[in-house]
Structure formats: structure tokens, C-alpha cells
């Protein structure tokens, strides 16, 4: 029925004019295809082995060098060169070192809009659902196929609807909310499904906070996270996207495979404990654990509002533990400089690095030592994730992370928001 | 028919367990990368695994990153198929795209041990183990075609286009 569509069904309908149901296989034209320095080299190899001649539409293909940026070793430098050469040869856009993390750059630079079909050779591509795009992660060879053909098959997913209402406590951020949800749904509870976030708590959130929600959908197995289009979406995209787009919302009678109701007031500051993202506990249960390193950054929590909060906590104080801050993009960094945030963080004793993924994936810029306890604003705490198996990673909000930095141990953050 | 000895792994085996992220930024050489296959769980795995072996795992196998290096190192190490209670979706797609058979089947896991020999018939959805037959839903036919061609690269080389470009659906 035309008036019973979920957001994902609506996006597909707008794209191909066909009403679909979960389980149907569809072939969709791609609006944006992105690969980064962890996945593009293998994509290029597959593209060349296929003997594909040209990129289907060079204005829709994007490369980002963000994972090991700037390069830390010769092997990586060779892979970066491979990307630069390919981008030049095919005339595609490459965002080079220092520009920022792919999932921050795509919306900032206008590659994402409501109704867009976005594929990224990165699992956190689901982030872009905050802009009502159907965005999902694929592998390198499949990305080579997209670069060659501009199309890809998808199974229309079932949708889970998560309805959050009420006001979050003053020491609770969207990160705490999504960690809570993952703790309930578990690491595989949304596998193959689209996850729609709705309710007035979500409506009240900034685009930045919404991106935290959709970013972590893959940590419960989800195919994509989705939030309907509203004024905030349009304000963010204004001046960034110059093609017209439609607002996309779910229909009232849309069918969901599961629904979850959450009262925002009841959410406490949360952490994901080692070594799985769904091992979620209230901060109060792990209070007092000593911390060796704090990392603030990543495509989950390296944005301006995050840095603002950290600076608010650390202003005129000194951190008691190693604290690394990586802004998510050049734009974020520049704005943080303008607001005086960067100076405050440096004076407080933080190390502020180049916009990019930083130590999130364990390739450089702050690999923990054996036995270290790390509080990180990132999205994964698997064993070995930060480059060493014997490190204990707690995922937290920027506010909780700032308090861990300030006190050298895990602390319930004070009300600050 | 695929026949082989199995290695059992638990639930939520992540791509960081299969091939830690730190290695993939330095090289795409599979001989190099495969030395680290399953390193996160069993650092000695690469020296024990033999061509033709089969991985049997719990739920959510391959969760985490989109890195195609994960199914690639498994295939390169000689593993002929992965059977799991469930797969993370990107891993599942990647495996087919690089020509590694992946099978979703929930009951086998509790009935076999590392070292057992089992047989798989992909096309009719049957696993023969311990004198029993375990049925699974065969992979959709269009994916089976990609798998039979040996993955997407070979598929494209053979046909000059991708099966989904024909609007076959
Ligand atoms: S910040 Fe971390 S999770 Fe995000 S894209 Fe980079 S490595 Fe992946």
C-alpha cells in the first residue's frame, strides 16, 4: 500500500517508483560511492582485475584518506599513492590527509541528502541515515562493481522502530542512549534490518547527535539507521547540497518487525565494557576504574558539539591521564579553533591531532600499551581494535570521557548539558 | 560436494579477530595478510589450518568492519566454506563476492567438534555430519551464479557485466 511505507521503503519507492516489501530484491542506482584508505586499494585491485575501463560517473565516486593519515609507514604510503593515481586517472574526487573522517566529510561536502542511495566501503556508512539517505556498508570488490556499473542489488530490509520520548538527563548524551539501545538489542539483534529512530527526543537532537545514533546501528548488526527529514536536516544541508531533494518520512501505518519504546529520562550515563559493544553497563557500575588513556574523536564523537563539551569540563583544569583528541574534520577543527576550544584542550594537557580516524582502529596515533585501560568515544571495543589485544576499551560519551581524563578514573559525569 | 575437517569458533567472531585492522593498512598482499588469519582468537591458527578445512561458528560471524580482507584471508588460508548460525551482513556479501561459500545453519554447531569431517552439498542445501543430515536454505540462485564463477571479478570477466545489471529480478 502506498500509505504504509517505512522510511526505507519510501526511499526505494522515490528512487525506482516501485512499492516493495521486506525480502524483495531491488537494484538501485547509486548516488554516492565512497572508499577510504583501508578499503580503496583492494577496490582498485578488483576494478583493474575486472578490466573495467572507466568509473560510471566520476562525480559520484569519492575517495577519502583518513584511516592512516598522514601515512605512518612505507606500505601505507604506497597504498595512498595507488589511490591518488587512480583518482587522478579517473577524475574522481579525493579528500586527502587532514580533510577528516569519511563519514564526517560526506555530509559536510554535500555528498549525502534525503533519498540518496549511498554505499561506502566502510561499515559505519549507516551514519548517513541521519540525513534520511539509504546508506550502507559494502566490501571492496562490490565497491569495484559499483564503480564499474553504478548500480547494486539490495534486499529490502525489515525495519525496527525505536521511539524515544522525553528529555535526556543533563549528564546524558545521544551516545549514552545508543549504547543503552545496543545493550538491549545486542550485537546481532538488528542483523539485516533498518533501524528507524523517532520520537521527540530524536527531533530535539542536533544533526551531530543524530549521527551518533545512526553511526552505531551496525554495532547491533543493522543494515542502516534512519531518521526522518525535518527542518534541522534542511538547515544542515543548506549551501552544501545543490540538487533538489524531497523530505522523507515514514507513513503512519508503516509495518515494523519490532518496536521499542524508550523514556529518555530513565537513561543513565552508559559505557560499553571490554570486549564487546553490547556489554553495556551504567557508568555507576564501573566507577573508580583507573584509566591509562582517553581518546576523544572518531566518526561517532569527534564533532564540534563533542569537543565543546570536553572543553567545558577541562577548562582551566589539567587532565590526569593521557588524553588524545582528534577532530572529525578540517571544518570541525577550524570551528573549534575559532571558539577557543583547541587552546583550552591543549592547555588542559590534551594532545590534539590531525582530523582523521586517529587511534580508533589501531593503526597509529596512540596505540595503547599492554594492559592499558582506555576510555574512548569511538564505536568498537573488540579485542585488538586499538592495535593491541591486551588493552581494555570502554566506550563512552564525550562527557564521560572528559571526566575520565580529568580524574584519571571512570567517574559519573556531573550535569553539564 | 565440499568435504573437509572442521574448526569450531564461538559467537560474534569479529573482523578484528579474523584479521586485525592494523595489518590491512600496510599491504594488500594476501600471502602477508594470511599469516594473521584468526590471530585475534588463535595466534597459531595459520600454521594449523590445511587446505579444504571448514570453519563452523556460532552467531554473528564476521561482525564489525567492512574489510573484505576478512573473508579473503580465510579463503587464502585454504578454508573451503564457513558455516555459522548467522553472519554479519557485510561479511556474508563479501564472502560471496570473493568466492567463499558461506552457509547459514543453526543446528550443526552443537553437534560437531573441531576435527570432525563433514560434507556439504551447496546446491541442494545439505550438510552430512555424524551420520546425520542438516538442511539449510540454499543461497539464492543469482548469488550462486556469482559464487560458481569464483566471485565478482571472475563473474564480470566472463560476462562483461554484472548479473544484476540485467534487471533480472
Ligand atoms: S573513526 Fe573509526 S569507526 Fe569511524 S571510520 Fe574511522 S576507523 Fe572507522
Amino acid at each position: 500500500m502506498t500509505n504504509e511505507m517505512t522510511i526505507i521503503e519510501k526511499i526505494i519507492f522515490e528512487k525506482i517508483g516501485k512499492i516493495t516489501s521486506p525480502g524483495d530484491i531491488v537494484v538501485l542506482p547509486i548516488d554516492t560511492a565512497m572508499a577510504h584508505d583501508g578499503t580503496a586499494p583492494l577496490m582498485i585491485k578488483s576494478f583493474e582485475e575486472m578490466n573495467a575501463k572507466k568509473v560510471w560517473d566520476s562525480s559520484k565516486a569519492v575517495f577519502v584518506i583518513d584511516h592512516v593519515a598522514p601515512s605512518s609507514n612505507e606500505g601505507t604510503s604506497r597504498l595512498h599513492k595507488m589511490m591518488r593515481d587512480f583518482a587522478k586517472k579517473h577524475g574522481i574526487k579525493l579528500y586527502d590527509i587532514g580533510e577528516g573522517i569519511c563519514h564526517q566529510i560526506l555530509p559536510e561536502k554535500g555528498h549525502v541528502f534525503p533519498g540518496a542511495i549511498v554505499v561506502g566501503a566502510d561499515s559505519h556508512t549507516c551514519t548517513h541515515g541521519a540525513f534520511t539517505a539509504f546508506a550502507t556498508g559494502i566490501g571492496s570488490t562490490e565497491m569495484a562493481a559499483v564503480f564499474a556499473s553504478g548500480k547494486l542489488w539490495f534486499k529490502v530490509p525489515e525495519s525496527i522502530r525505536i521511539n524515544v520520548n522525553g528529555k535526556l538527563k543533563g549528564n546524558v548524551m545521544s551516545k549514552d542512549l545508543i549504547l543503552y539501545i545496543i545493550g538491549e538489542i545486542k550485537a546481532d539483534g538488528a542483523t539485516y534490518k533498518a533501524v528507524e529512530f523517532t520520537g521527540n527526543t530524536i527531533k530535539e537532537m542536533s544533526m551531530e547527535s543524530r549521527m551518533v545514533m545512526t553511526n552505531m546501528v551496525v554495532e547491533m548488526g543493522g543494515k542502516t539507521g534512519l531518521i526522518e527529514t525535518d527542518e534541522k536536516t534542511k538547515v544542515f544541508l543548506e549551501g552544501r547540497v545543490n540538487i533538489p531533494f524531497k523530505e522523507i518520512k515514514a507513513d503512519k501505518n508503516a509495518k515494523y518487525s519490532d518496536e521499542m519504546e524508550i523514556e529518555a529520562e530513565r537513561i543513565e550515563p552508559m559505557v560499553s565494557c571490554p570486549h564487546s559493544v553490547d556489554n553495556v553497563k551504567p557508568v555507576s557500575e564501573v566507577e573508580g576504574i583507573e584509566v591509562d588513556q582517553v581518546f576523544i574523536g572518531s566518526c561517532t564523537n569527534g564533532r564540534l558539539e563533542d569537543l565543546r563539551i570536553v572543553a567545558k569540563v577541562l577548562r582551566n583544569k589539567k587532565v590526569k591521564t593521557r588524553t588524545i583528541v582528534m577532530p572529525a574534520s578540517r571544518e570541525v577543527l577550524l570551528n573549534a579553533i575559532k571558539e577557543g576550544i583547541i587552546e583550552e584542550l591543549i592547555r588542559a594537557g590534551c594532545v590534539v591531532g590531525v582530523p582523521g580516524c586517529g587511534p580508533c582502529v589501531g593503526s597509529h596515533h596512540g596505540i595503547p600499551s599492554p594492559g592499558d585501560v582506555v576510555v574512548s568515544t569511538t564505536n568498537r571495543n573488540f579485542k585488538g581494535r586499538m592495535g593491541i589485544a591486551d588493552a581494555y576499551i570502554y566506550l563512552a560519551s564525550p562527557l564521560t570521557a572528559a571526566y575520565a581524563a580529568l580524574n584519571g578514573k571512570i567517574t559519573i559525569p556531573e550535569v553539564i548539558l | 560436494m565440499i568435504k573437509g575437517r572442521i574448526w569450531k569458533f564461538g559467537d560474534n567472531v569479529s573482523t578484528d579477530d579474523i584479521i586485525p585492522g592494523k595489518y590491512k593498512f600496510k599491504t594488500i598482499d594476501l600471502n602477508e595478510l594470511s599469516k594473521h588469519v584468526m590471530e585475534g582468537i588463535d595466534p597459531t591458527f595459520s600454521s594449523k589450518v590445511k587446505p579444504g578445512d571448514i570453519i563452523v561458528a556460532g552467531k554473528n560471524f564476521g561482525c564489525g568492519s567492512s574489510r573484505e580482507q576478512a573473508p579473503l584471508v580465510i579463503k587464502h588460508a585454504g578454508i573451503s566454506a564457513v558455516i555459522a548460525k548467522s553472519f554479519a551482513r557485510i561479511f556474508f556479501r563479501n564472502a560471496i563476492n570473493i568466492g567463499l561459500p558461506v552457509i547459514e545453519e543453526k543446528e550443526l554447531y552443537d553437534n560437531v567438534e573441531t576435527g570432525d569431517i563433514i560434507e556439504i552439498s551447496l546446491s541442494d542445501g545439505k550438510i552430512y555430519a555424524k551420520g546425520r543430515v542438516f538442511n539449510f536454505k540454499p543461497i539464492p540462485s543469482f548469488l550462486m551464479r556469482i559464487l560458481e564463477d569464483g566471485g565478482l571479478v571472475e563473474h564480470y570477466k566472463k560476462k562483461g557485466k554484472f548479473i544484476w545489471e540485467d534487471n533480472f529480478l
Side-chain angles (χ1 to χ4, degrees), chain A residues 392-409:
Chain A
Y392 300 83
I393 309 167
Y394 291 80
L395 305 178
S397 77
L399 183 60
T400 302
Y403 272 85
L406 185 64
N407 298 324
K409 55 186 181 194

Side-chain angles (χ1 to χ4, degrees), chain A residues 34 36 66-67 101-103 122-125 127 215 219 295 297-300 356-363 378-380 385, chain B residues 24-25 65:
Chain A
M34 183 282 298
H36 57 61
D66 56 354
H67 277 60
I101 306 167
C102 52
H103 305 308
D122 187 277
S123 60
H124 292 101
T125 304
T127 310
N215 174 270
E219 308 312 329
F295 172 50
S298 85
C299 57
T300 317
C357 299
C360 176
V361 67
S363 50
T378 52
N379 47 39
R380 283 196 180 129
R385 170 70 181 181
Chain B
K24 75 164 175 175
F25 300 106
S65 133

Side-chain angles (χ1 to χ4, degrees), chain B residues 69-95:
Chain B
Q69 287 89 343
L72 276 174
V73 293
I74 289 177
K75 188 180 173 203
H76 197 77
I79 296 287
S80 58
V82 182
I83 304 169
K85 288 186 185 170
S86 66
F87 290 91
R89 67 164 273 283
I90 306 178
F91 183 92
F92 187 88
R93 284 181 85 118
N94 280 345

Side-chain angles (χ1 to χ4, degrees), chain B residues 11-76:
Chain B
D11 289 339
N12 297 315
V13 172
S14 78
T15 52
D16 283 290
D17 291 326
I18 300 168
I19 175 78
K22 60 183 172 188
Y23 299 120
K24 75 164 175 175
F25 300 106
K26 293 188 189 147
T27 180
I28 50 175
D29 179 356
L30 280 174
N31 292 323
E32 240 350 275
L33 289 170
S34 296
K35 290 181 192 155
H36 305 285
V37 60
M38 292 311 225
E39 185 177 283
I41 295 172
D42 179 359
T44 63
F45 186 70
S46 74
S47 60
K48 297 187 295 199
V49 63
K50 297 254 157 30
D53 287 356
I54 294 167
I55 287 178
V56 176
K59 58 182 187 169
N60 207 21
F61 188 87
C63 60
S65 133
S66 67
R67 71 188 68 135
E68 193 172 285
Q69 287 89 343
L72 276 174
V73 293
I74 289 177
K75 188 180 173 203
H76 197 77

Side-chain angles (χ1 to χ4, degrees), chain A residues 25 27 37-39 41-42 45-46 49-50 67-68 73 75-76 79 82 121-123 136-142 145 148-149 151-154 187-188 191-192 223 361-363 380 382-383 385 387, chain B residues 12 14 16-17 20-22 24-28 30 40 59-60 63-69 72 86-90 92-94 97-98 104 142-143 146 152-153 156-157 162 164-165 167-169:
Chain A
I25 305 271
V27 177
D37 49 331
T39 51
L42 207 51
K45 186 171 167 243
S46 291
E49 279 174 9
M50 281 172 188
H67 277 60
V68 188
N73 63 81
T76 301
L79 299 180
M82 214 173 144
D122 187 277
S123 60
T136 194
I138 61 174
S140 294
T141 296
E142 204 153 51
S149 74
K151 290 184 199 157
L152 194 58
W153 69 271
F154 298 95
D188 63 339
T191 301
Y192 301 122
K223 182 172 201 160
V361 67
S363 50
R380 283 196 180 129
F382 305 144
K383 224 173 173 174
R385 170 70 181 181
Chain B
N12 297 315
S14 78
D16 283 290
D17 291 326
K22 60 183 172 188
K24 75 164 175 175
F25 300 106
K26 293 188 189 147
T27 180
I28 50 175
L30 280 174
K59 58 182 187 169
N60 207 21
C63 60
S65 133
S66 67
R67 71 188 68 135
E68 193 172 285
Q69 287 89 343
L72 276 174
S86 66
F87 290 91
R89 67 164 273 283
I90 306 178
F92 187 88
R93 284 181 85 118
N94 280 345
N97 289 334
I98 61 123
E104 224 177 70
F142 77 103
L143 293 183
I146 295 172
L152 264 189
V153 169
Y156 186 78
K157 273 180 25 197
F162 302 102
W164 60 82
E165 287 188 85
N167 274 331
F168 64 106
L169 311 159

